[in-house]
Amino acid sequence: MAKKIAVFAGHGGSDHGARANGHEEKVFTLAISNAVTAILREWGYVVINNHVTDTERSITHDAKLANDNNVDAVVEIHLNSNDGTPETGSEAFVSIRDATMWNGRAKKLADAILARLASLGLQNHGVFTNVNPKGLDGFGILRLTHMPTVLLEVAYLNNPQDMAKLDIDKVAYAIAEGIQETVV
């Protein structure tokens, strides 16, 4: 039976995400998501998307979509940005529940993706958790999904060197390879 993967594009519609140097995060997240989806479908995966055109999105709806479709894993794609001197590289976030509920499968998936992005010249900053003041996952997609989920920050939108390495097809292939390695 084919594995089901949710590949979600961060931001969309009136939510542009980060903006820097004339770029909008939502444009890149959608392009990468659509490219990853095409590769995974070619490899035989069933892929669920939160949107495939630039439309509004809801994290609650996205989590429900993943949960209702009982996907094997979720990868939500973002680009980073910061104030001041631009940072560089890729990082990922997983649920604080990953180790206990999914035996670290989200971290393994995130590590595999980050290793492949590093092979494209993007510095690997590692895998993190983010906890809100209530002691829950700080990112809604991690808090609301019931399966291994990775919130991926591919590169820094405000860093011209990172953006020069952001070849959509190569990044998509790297992400798809990381998924293929760990979600079998």
Side-chain angles (χ1 to χ4, degrees):
M1 184 171 185
K3 292 289 186 175
K4 279 193 221 176
I5 307 296
V7 179
F8 290 165
H11 308 286
S14 62
D15 177 7
H16 300 274
R19 291 179 176 175
N21 304 321
H23 300 299
E24 291 184 335
E25 180 180 3
K26 70 175 186 172
V27 173
F28 291 96
T29 63
L30 186 60
I32 294 167
S33 172
N34 286 341
V36 171
T37 296
I39 293 164
L40 291 176
R41 286 184 176 150
E42 185 177 305
W43 292 349
Y45 288 84
V46 174
V47 183
I48 308 298
N49 299 109
N50 60 344
H51 61 276
V52 295
T53 60
D54 183 19
T55 58
E56 298 295 325
R57 68 174 286 236
S58 156
I59 293 169
T60 303
H61 174 268
D62 293 353
K64 183 174 179 356
L65 182 65
N67 294 335
D68 289 352
N69 280 281
N70 198 31
V71 299
D72 295 293
V74 177
V75 176
E76 182 169 296
I77 298 167
H78 289 267
L79 270 73
N80 228 332
S81 186
N82 68 301
D83 293 327
T85 303
E87 294 286 336
T88 185
S90 304
E91 62 189 26
F93 293 87
V94 300
S95 174
I96 58 176
R97 301 168 293 149
D98 183 51
T100 57
M101 292 189 69
W102 303 295
N103 296 319
R105 290 189 346 241
K107 184 176 183 320
K108 288 176 189 156
L109 173 58
D111 282 335
I113 292 170
L114 290 173
R116 286 183 174 63
L117 291 173
S119 74
L120 301 178
L122 293 162
Q123 185 177 353
N124 181 347
H125 286 288
V127 181
F128 304 95
T129 57
N130 179 289
V131 180
N132 69 20
K134 295 180 181 178
L136 304 171
D137 283 302
F139 295 113
I141 198 68
L142 300 177
R143 186 174 56 252
L144 300 172
T145 50
H146 304 308
M147 67 283 301
T149 300
V150 173
L151 187 148
L152 177 65
E153 298 279 4
V154 174
Y156 276 79
L157 187 71
N158 62 320
N159 186 315
Q161 288 79 27
D162 272 16
M163 294 308 291
K165 297 170 188 166
L166 195 66
D167 177 301
I168 300 296
D169 293 329
K170 288 180 181 177
V171 166
Y173 195 80
I175 294 168
E177 281 186 319
I179 292 168
Q180 185 182 43
E181 177 185 321
T182 56
V183 185
V184 291

